[in-house]
Amino acid sequence: MMNDDLIARFSSIVGAENALTRDEDIAPHLLEPRAKFSGSSPLVLKPGSTQDVATILKLATETGTAIVPQGGNTGLVGGQMPSGEVVVSLGRMNRIRHVDDADNCITLEAGVTLQSAQEAAKAKGLMFPLWIASQGTCQVGGNLATNAGGINVLAYGNTRDLCLGLEVVLPSGEIWNGLKSLRKDNTGYDLKHLFIGSEGTLGIITAASMKLLPAPTDKATVFAAIADPQSALDLLSLAKRMGGGAVAAFEIMPRAGVEMSFKHADCRDPLEAPSDWYVLFELAGYDEMGSMDKKATEMLGVAFEEGIVTDATLAASTQAAQDLWHIREAMSEVQRLEGGSIKHDISVPVSKVPAFLNLAITAVKEMIPGCRPVPFGHIGDGNIHFNISQPVGADKDAFLAQWGNINERVHGIVRDFGGSISAEHGIGTLKRDELAVFKQPVELAMMHGIKKLLDPNGIMNPGKVL
Amino acid sequence: MMNDDLIARFSSIVGAENALTRDEDIAPHLLEPRAKFSGSSPLVLKPGSTQDVATILKLATETGTAIVPQGGNTGLVGGQMPSGEVVVSLGRMNRIRHVDDADNCITLEAGVTLQSAQEAAKAKGLMFPLWIASQGTCQVGGNLATNAGGINVLAYGNTRDLCLGLEVVLPSGEIWNGLKSLRKDNTGYDLKHLFIGSEGTLGIITAASMKLLPAPTDKATVFAAIADPQSALDLLSLAKRMGGGAVAAFEIMPRAGVEMSFKHADCRDPLEAPSDWYVLFELAGYDEMGSMDKKATEMLGVAFEEGIVTDATLAASTQAAQDLWHIREAMSEVQRLEGGSIKHDISVPVSKVPAFLNLAITAVKEMIPGCRPVPFGHIGDGNIHFNISQPVGADKDAFLAQWGNINERVHGIVRDFGGSISAEHGIGTLKRDELAVFKQPVELAMMHGIKKLLDPNGIMNPGKVL
């Protein structure tokens, strides 16, 4: 328990109005949108500047006070959730310091929402290509801390790949200004990559310099019916071969998933007959309007000829494209409306996705007869959200009690394919204990060493990742 | 000095035929091609396997023996040069373990030459896009250890960006098998990025999993005369706007440089009248043959109209394209034939290159009247090889004695632009002392901490980088 004097010392750094101590003020920071993780905290601090953050961490080090950094609180693995620690919520640090259309980069503070970053880029005719479902709420600092992925990784990389430089406050309160906007810099160890994806366990990212790209001038969106996951990969190969760098997104969905979207999310089936599997993909280019539609039509022609695709629709308008994307975007939310859902966020080598799905679907159906696998997502990156909805009419709690057993079985299959048990969501508390089993001892030892080196007093997001 | 017993113990690990102790056998490992750095060593070990490397480092740790890892020995900053240490030369570990055209990746040992990697990819219809002048000799392990760059970084990234996973032997002799071929993996700190670019100071990279790309089916190569560096950036903007992702390389050269190529390198001037500056650029795409030529012609049409380009030639054949590239590729070598050359490998934000060049050229001409600046290179990445050839007829040694003074002045200008004193060549011994001044203390402290953590006995490439 923190005493009142310590609370007062921390509060004075940010001012009373930015130091939350009343239960009703703190509450929004103690529950995330999916309600899977909840927490407790005596104090939420909302710093307004990098110097504020530095002063907070200096005091935290002096007094041995543990800190949990929090962005938009949309993380899916509990990484942002306190268990009695002080929360440092970055949302007030939401200044876009600089958008540069000569060097195609943007410098922004950690608390800028992803959507604001996208809009700032767009206003200069550029694109900030990170695209995830929570973009209206999630913040760039959190995106960096978790190395967020999303639907555009295939073409433009994940958050790590988009980062040129970081400003970080170390647990000691020292500020590292690594806010470069250089495209090449080989001067010693590349420290920014340590902090990206470290989930707030090594320091607090307060600002970043990120790459922007020219905004595509033309897009085509296709929703295609396919027989099986291998056909999705065949279509991806074809699209890459015929489209070069134009394939901007490439998502797979099963019938069970799209049906849930049709039922709950105000979507309609864009194709006449049902199909076991679907692909939703987007081409993006820089030629005149319509050239991507032409390319997509050519691709589909070959795909029909080769029997890869059984039916398909090409969005005829921006609205039609949005309607198709809505089927995919709703897919997490609609599963919630169908009862309990046991989730995985796995990756395997791209070519191994069909074999993985075959084994994993068979395994979970065997373990829980009547369960409804809804594996969907970024097949172009080998990243599948292997979710399983409860059997219709089953007891939700009894189903969810199988979470650990199902995870263990599915992750065992992932391991056999040389895959990852967390492709894009991170470790947090959800997968911490599993990580300790999954990783090689030599790798774990290096991670513990780095944690001890940069956070010797263990004040940063304790109990997360490691 | 090593005693005979210790030499024998190390030698027995790799076998007598792979343990070099005679001066004439060791000599090639003690001098690099530009002859700027030379060294000394009692023993060169040529391991044939990861296990050999592990056994060597285990013994090195036990006996406190310092080790210098060496790839193709083409590094430009002295990082691979021993000062009495045992050299571990990776050239025998040259097996390509796996080329995968389903997952577009290649797993190869550290001693594979870059050219062999390129050829292995090509044989599967794919591309390994790293392209540097030393590719016939340099090795992938060295490319990773130095995060090598080259002419294709603009489109496909540097060595770091191409790496999916590493196998590393730690100084203790422990083997970390991080050879994943996953596109996404958020399971804890990303350790591979620590080793990439660490110049052999943290461990020995023994194998890597690297991305491959579909090989472009069509290319266009253009050599264009421009008035000044700003025109190069205007042309780059235009090319990016009209060509989207098609701009694969974009290099700037001054008249002084191309004249040296014409004089010494069996090149001829492809344009009628001389120009102060030139750009050599390449478009690469996946459409039918000739589409890139069409795109390049359209671009040049606009560039002429807007006064960005004063003259240009589009290569009409593969041979013609090679001839144009030869002008650029010869540019380092021909400077050697013009006497002493003081070199820099700097980067600044791309938009700042013209301002940097203006200030830096003025400064060096003021410091050494009659000197001949030959700044050339990867302007698309903001990376300029700011080289200065001696005045015609001047004393070479007297000129080269100015190296430190010139560096200091030029790097001061680089610093004012938020740039890097080593964009792609690394630190080695050449820039080690300057790094200690250039970096923020907090960043240096983190680097020293990581060095101490992973190499507690300081046996790995001592005196390099830090």
Side-chain angles (χ1 to χ4, degrees):
Chain A
M1 287 298 297
M2 280 180 87
N3 65 41
D4 288 348
D5 174 57
L6 192 52
I7 290 180
R9 287 174 72 190
F10 275 109
S11 299
S12 72
I13 296 169
V14 294
E17 69 282 16
N18 298 310
L20 314 181
T21 53
R22 297 190 315 174
D23 286 351
E24 60 269 37
D25 295 333
I26 293 181
H29 297 273
L30 304 183
L31 189 68
E32 42 81 39
R34 292 205 311 198
K36 185 169 170 64
F37 300 95
S38 59
S40 64
S41 173
L43 179 63
V44 174
L45 298 172
K46 300 167 80 174
S49 67
T50 304
Q51 189 53 56
D52 279 359
V53 176
T55 309
I56 291 169
L57 291 193
K58 188 159 181 289
L59 181 57
T61 287
E62 281 168 18
T63 57
T65 307
I67 298 289
V68 176
Q70 203 176 81
N73 190 15
T74 60
L76 298 172
V77 292
Q80 77 279 26
M81 201 48 69
S83 310
E85 300 91 353
V86 172
V87 172
V88 174
S89 177
L90 280 298
R92 277 180 69 221
M93 291 187 61
N94 61 357
R95 208 160 49 94
I96 292 173
R97 294 188 188 166
H98 186 56
V99 188
D100 192 326
D101 56 358
D103 288 318
N104 285 10
C105 64
I106 185 168
T107 304
L108 28 69
E109 293 181 345
V112 173
T113 65
L114 176 48
Q115 192 170 315
S116 301
Q118 292 165 346
E119 285 165 4
K122 197 172 177 185
K124 294 264 192 180
L126 296 167
M127 169 177 60
F128 187 66
L130 193 64
W131 202 110
I132 60 181
S134 58
Q135 56 206 19
T137 313
C138 69
Q139 297 170 8
V140 173
N143 299 150
L144 284 156
T146 60
N147 186 28
I151 63 157
N152 279 339
V153 172
L154 181 65
Y156 312 111
N158 51 26
T159 309
R160 181 187 301 284
D161 300 317
L162 298 172
C163 182
L164 294 168
L166 290 181
E167 177 187 272
V168 178
V169 179
L170 300 183
S172 60
E174 288 171 291
I175 299 168
W176 170 43
N177 182 354
L179 279 182
K180 300 202 165 181
S181 60
L182 302 173
R183 300 287 159 161
K184 292 168 79 175
D185 180 22
N186 276 352
T187 53
Y189 310 152
D190 197 328
L191 299 172
K192 71 174 177 292
H193 285 300
L194 266 187
F195 294 98
I196 299 171
S198 68
E199 304 186 33
T201 62
L202 301 178
I204 297 184
I205 295 168
T206 48
S209 174
M210 307 291 292
K211 296 178 194 169
L212 300 177
L213 287 102
T217 50
D218 186 37
K219 284 190 180 184
T221 306
V222 175
F223 184 86
I226 52 172
D228 50 33
Q230 184 56 51
S231 300
L233 292 186
D234 293 344
L235 183 58
L236 177 62
S237 279
L238 180 74
K240 281 188 172 173
R241 198 171 69 235
M242 294 183 67
V247 186
F250 197 93
E251 301 282 309
I252 192 169
M253 294 175 285
R255 180 68 193 176
V258 301
E259 269 178 0
M260 291 179 190
S261 286
F262 300 154
K263 183 171 161 194
H264 298 291
D266 195 26
C267 304
R268 55 170 204 83
D269 195 337
L271 301 178
E272 282 183 19
S275 167
D276 285 351
W277 293 90
Y278 299 90
V279 157
L280 177 59
F281 73 93
E282 191 170 274
L283 305 180
Y286 300 85
D287 288 325
E288 69 279 13
M289 291 278 285
S291 54
M292 286 298 123
D293 277 358
K294 185 162 164 281
K295 205 179 266 275
T297 305
E298 284 168 18
M299 276 176 199
L300 288 174
V302 177
F304 278 117
E305 237 170 65
E306 296 186 2
I308 297 170
V309 160
T310 55
D311 194 7
T313 180
L314 173 65
S317 67
T318 307
Q319 184 58 51
Q322 280 172 10
D323 290 347
L324 293 177
W325 272 109
H326 188 48
I327 301 171
R328 163 65 183 83
E329 284 159 27
M331 198 143 291
S332 286
E333 174 64 11
V334 294
Q335 283 170 57
R336 202 178 50 77
L337 302 172
E338 288 281 325
S341 174
I342 296 173
K343 297 173 191 298
H344 308 78
D345 166 39
I346 67 92
S347 68
V348 293
V350 180
S351 70
K352 300 299 190 295
V353 172
F356 161 77
L357 285 174
N358 189 27
L359 288 174
I361 289 171
T362 305
V364 299
K365 282 185 170 173
E366 188 186 285
M367 289 177 76
I368 306 181
C371 76
R372 294 169 291 164
V374 189
F376 70 99
H378 322 298
I379 190 171
D381 306 310
N383 176 196
I384 299 292
H385 298 305
F386 189 77
N387 294 355
I388 305 128
S389 284
Q390 65 172 70
V392 176
D395 180 75
K396 181 176 169 179
D397 291 337
F399 173 75
L400 289 178
Q402 296 293 308
W403 190 298
N405 291 338
I406 292 279
N407 271 189
E408 194 180 340
R409 182 76 174 270
V410 171
H411 287 168
I413 299 169
V414 167
R415 190 202 303 243
D416 292 343
F417 284 109
S420 169
I421 60 169
S422 187
E424 62 175 12
H425 296 162
I427 299 300
T429 52
L430 181 65
K431 298 179 184 173
R432 182 195 58 198
D433 298 341
E434 211 176 344
L435 186 79
V437 178
F438 220 80
K439 284 269 172 186
Q440 295 164 60
V442 62
E443 187 166 2
L444 274 176
M446 282 192 274
M447 286 173 59
H448 279 287
I450 287 163
K451 170 72 177 173
K452 186 84 186 160
L453 171 70
L454 294 178
D455 182 23
N457 303 305
I459 62 165
M460 289 306 310
N461 217 3
K464 312 297 166 57
V465 183
L466 289 169
Chain B
M1 288 298 296
M2 280 179 88
N3 65 41
D4 288 349
D5 174 57
L6 192 53
I7 289 179
R9 287 174 71 191
F10 274 109
S11 300
S12 72
I13 298 169
V14 294
E17 70 282 18
N18 298 310
L20 314 180
T21 52
R22 298 191 312 176
D23 285 351
E24 59 269 40
D25 295 335
I26 292 181
H29 298 273
L30 304 182
L31 188 67
E32 42 80 42
R34 291 204 313 198
K36 184 167 171 65
F37 299 96
S38 60
S40 64
S41 173
L43 178 63
V44 174
L45 298 171
K46 300 167 82 174
S49 68
T50 303
Q51 190 53 58
D52 280 359
V53 176
T55 309
I56 291 168
L57 290 192
K58 190 159 179 289
L59 180 59
T61 287
E62 280 167 20
T63 56
T65 308
I67 299 290
V68 175
Q70 202 175 81
N73 190 14
T74 59
L76 299 173
V77 293
Q80 77 279 24
M81 201 48 68
S83 310
E85 299 91 351
V86 172
V87 172
V88 174
S89 176
L90 280 299
R92 278 181 69 221
M93 293 188 61
N94 61 357
R95 208 159 51 94
I96 292 174
R97 293 188 188 167
H98 185 56
V99 188
D100 193 325
D101 55 358
D103 288 319
N104 285 9
C105 64
I106 185 168
T107 304
L108 30 67
E109 294 181 345
V112 172
T113 65
L114 176 50
Q115 192 171 314
S116 300
Q118 292 165 346
E119 286 164 3
K122 198 172 177 184
K124 294 264 191 179
L126 295 167
M127 167 176 62
F128 187 67
L130 194 64
W131 202 109
I132 59 181
S134 57
Q135 56 205 18
T137 313
C138 69
Q139 297 170 8
V140 173
N143 298 150
L144 284 157
T146 59
N147 185 30
I151 64 156
N152 279 338
V153 172
L154 181 65
Y156 311 111
N158 51 25
T159 309
R160 180 186 302 283
D161 300 316
L162 299 172
C163 182
L164 294 169
L166 289 182
E167 179 186 271
V168 178
V169 178
L170 300 183
S172 61
E174 289 171 291
I175 299 169
W176 170 43
N177 181 352
L179 278 182
K180 301 202 165 181
S181 59
L182 302 173
R183 300 288 159 162
K184 291 167 79 174
D185 181 21
N186 276 351
T187 54
Y189 310 152
D190 197 328
L191 300 172
K192 69 173 178 292
H193 286 300
L194 266 187
F195 293 99
I196 299 170
S198 68
E199 304 184 34
T201 62
L202 301 177
I204 297 185
I205 295 168
T206 48
S209 173
M210 308 289 293
K211 296 178 195 168
L212 299 177
L213 287 101
T217 50
D218 185 38
K219 284 189 179 183
T221 306
V222 174
F223 183 88
I226 53 171
D228 51 34
Q230 184 56 50
S231 300
L233 292 187
D234 294 344
L235 183 58
L236 176 62
S237 278
L238 180 74
K240 282 189 172 174
R241 198 169 70 236
M242 295 183 66
V247 185
F250 197 93
E251 302 281 310
I252 193 170
M253 294 175 284
R255 181 67 194 176
V258 301
E259 269 179 0
M260 290 179 191
S261 287
F262 300 153
K263 181 171 163 193
H264 298 291
D266 195 25
C267 304
R268 55 170 203 83
D269 194 337
L271 302 178
E272 283 184 17
S275 167
D276 284 351
W277 294 90
Y278 299 90
V279 157
L280 178 60
F281 73 95
E282 191 171 273
L283 305 181
Y286 300 85
D287 289 325
E288 68 278 13
M289 292 277 288
S291 54
M292 286 298 123
D293 277 359
K294 186 163 163 280
K295 206 179 266 274
T297 306
E298 283 167 19
M299 276 177 198
L300 288 174
V302 177
F304 279 116
E305 237 170 66
E306 296 186 2
I308 296 170
V309 159
T310 55
D311 195 7
T313 180
L314 173 64
S317 67
T318 307
Q319 184 58 52
Q322 280 171 9
D323 290 347
L324 293 177
W325 273 109
H326 189 49
I327 300 170
R328 164 66 183 83
E329 284 160 26
M331 199 144 289
S332 286
E333 174 63 12
V334 294
Q335 283 170 55
R336 201 177 51 76
L337 302 172
E338 288 281 328
S341 173
I342 295 173
K343 295 173 193 301
H344 308 78
D345 166 39
I346 67 91
S347 69
V348 294
V350 180
S351 69
K352 301 297 191 296
V353 171
F356 161 78
L357 285 174
N358 189 27
L359 288 174
I361 289 171
T362 304
V364 299
K365 283 187 168 171
E366 188 186 286
M367 288 177 76
I368 305 182
C371 74
R372 293 168 293 164
V374 189
F376 69 99
H378 322 298
I379 190 171
D381 307 309
N383 176 197
I384 299 293
H385 298 305
F386 188 78
N387 294 354
I388 304 126
S389 284
Q390 66 171 67
V392 176
D395 179 74
K396 182 177 170 179
D397 291 338
F399 173 75
L400 290 179
Q402 295 295 307
W403 191 298
N405 290 338
I406 292 280
N407 271 191
E408 194 181 340
R409 182 76 174 269
V410 171
H411 288 167
I413 298 168
V414 167
R415 190 201 304 241
D416 292 342
F417 283 109
S420 169
I421 60 168
S422 185
E424 61 175 12
H425 295 164
I427 299 299
T429 51
L430 181 66
K431 297 179 185 174
R432 182 194 59 197
D433 297 341
E434 209 176 345
L435 185 79
V437 178
F438 220 79
K439 285 268 176 190
Q440 295 163 61
V442 63
E443 187 166 3
L444 273 178
M446 283 192 274
M447 287 174 59
H448 279 286
I450 287 163
K451 170 73 177 173
K452 186 85 186 161
L453 172 69
L454 294 177
D455 181 24
N457 303 305
I459 62 165
M460 289 306 310
N461 217 3
K464 313 295 165 59
V465 183
L466 289 170

